[in-house]
Amino acid sequence: MQDSTPYAVGIDVGGTKTHLRAFAGGADVVDHVRSSTGWRPHDPGAAADWLAGLIADALPSPLGPSALAVGGHACETPRQCAGIRAALQERLGVPALVVGDAELLVPAAGLDKGVGLVGGTGSVAVGRLPDGGPVQVGGWGAVLGDEGGAAGLVREAARAVWAAHDRGEEPDALAAGLVAAFDVAEVPALGAALEAATDVSAEWGRHSPVLFAAAEAGSPLARSVIAEGGRALAALVVRLARRGATVDDVVVAGGTVLAQPALYEAFTSALAEALPGARPHPLRVPPVEGAVALARSLL
């Protein structure tokens, strides 16, 4: 017989890994992590099938969700998220909510409103307009944007090193670090190495520790890039404020900004200068907690 206990299922589909938690009877009863390989958010049917398969694998038979909330990587517009939600409800027959993964941060922090800011491989910020509608800024990928994220920082570090080379300056710790990381002979060869990347965000972003190591070694170039990265993250929050979003609380997540104190401090300093009333909160729990909270609100 099917267990009558209501199961609230939350799913955080990240760019690399997916985290599912099921809550029932006052406690988490399932905690499941797997690769995000196969996630296709621009195809609602395929995305819904992928999520339904994940749930079937993670929840012991014959259990199913009573309510479901999903934060999806690259689910970038309300229309896109609504399409996945409709397909998912058709397949599962239970209340469902689908949002972008950055929208999990505010409920994960136990807040009702505020900004979710991610500074990981990329960067993005989300909030809510006065009418309750979602708004997202940033997240445009490492080639064109993602300032303050790992890949964007590496791009800007390379630009700083090239500019120093053009000025006739001797290579410093940042230049030496990038040359070694990309396995090239000299600074001018960095361009071809960056352009050869097949997965730009991942392949550039994994070299970001070089920037922070160079800053610790005393590189003014590295310190300038980090300071500008912090200002870029704060600028995302400023854009949301100018569009009317509530920015009193800013929940910060991401493996770059939270793992690198120099970047986090640059961000908080820039935020305090631009928006003195905004309060940053580093997220100390997994974002899937936000998905579980949203799912429980549907029961």
Side-chain angles (χ1 to χ4, degrees):
M1 184 189 321
Q2 173 107 7
D3 187 344
S4 61
T5 304
Y7 279 71
V9 175
I11 303 175
D12 172 24
V13 185
T16 303
K17 69 177 182 179
T18 291
H19 194 175
L20 177 149
R21 278 189 180 172
F23 182 92
D28 291 330
V29 294
V30 174
D31 191 87
H32 178 80
V33 178
R34 60 173 279 184
S35 167
S36 296
T37 300
W39 171 242
R40 294 163 54 195
H42 296 284
D43 182 335
D49 288 340
W50 190 89
L51 290 165
L54 168 65
I55 293 166
D57 290 342
L59 265 62
S61 179
L63 300 180
S66 304
L68 172 68
V70 179
H73 173 71
C75 192
E76 297 164 331
T77 69
R79 179 179 180 179
Q80 183 186 2
C81 291
I84 299 173
R85 173 180 174 270
L88 198 56
Q89 288 191 151
E90 180 181 341
R91 285 157 177 75
L92 299 179
V94 299
L97 177 65
V98 178
V99 297
D101 55 350
E103 290 194 57
L104 301 181
L105 305 186
V106 170
L111 299 171
D112 294 326
K113 57 184 178 180
V115 169
L117 173 69
V118 177
T121 301
S123 62
V124 68
V126 298
R128 293 277 167 177
L129 298 173
D131 64 2
V135 58
Q136 172 178 310
V137 297
W140 297 113
V143 173
L144 299 177
D146 278 356
E147 294 86 353
L153 288 168
V154 170
R155 181 193 65 228
E156 295 308 308
R159 294 184 66 185
V161 165
W162 288 327
H165 180 271
D166 285 348
R167 293 192 296 268
E169 299 173 10
E170 288 296 318
D172 74 346
L174 180 58
L178 288 175
V179 164
F182 283 95
D183 194 23
V184 295
E186 54 187 343
V187 167
L190 284 171
L194 267 71
E195 289 177 353
T198 55
D199 183 345
V200 167
S201 291
E203 293 178 38
W204 292 3
R206 67 186 177 90
H207 296 304
S208 64
V210 169
L211 170 66
F212 299 98
E216 290 183 6
S219 167
L221 289 179
R223 290 173 178 173
S224 176
V225 171
I226 293 168
E228 184 55 38
R231 286 191 289 270
L233 292 175
L236 295 175
V237 184
V238 171
R239 288 180 209 166
L240 289 175
R242 288 175 176 168
R243 294 185 64 176
T246 300
V247 300
D248 294 341
D249 293 288
V250 181
V251 182
V252 185
T256 302
V257 68
L258 293 186
Q260 300 291 349
L263 180 61
Y264 187 77
E265 290 167 11
F267 159 68
T268 55
S269 295
L271 183 68
E273 182 177 348
L275 296 169
R279 298 179 292 269
H281 305 275
L283 187 65
R284 301 303 185 192
V285 300
V288 72
E289 290 286 343
V292 173
L294 293 174
R296 291 179 65 189
S297 71
L298 300 176
L299 290 174

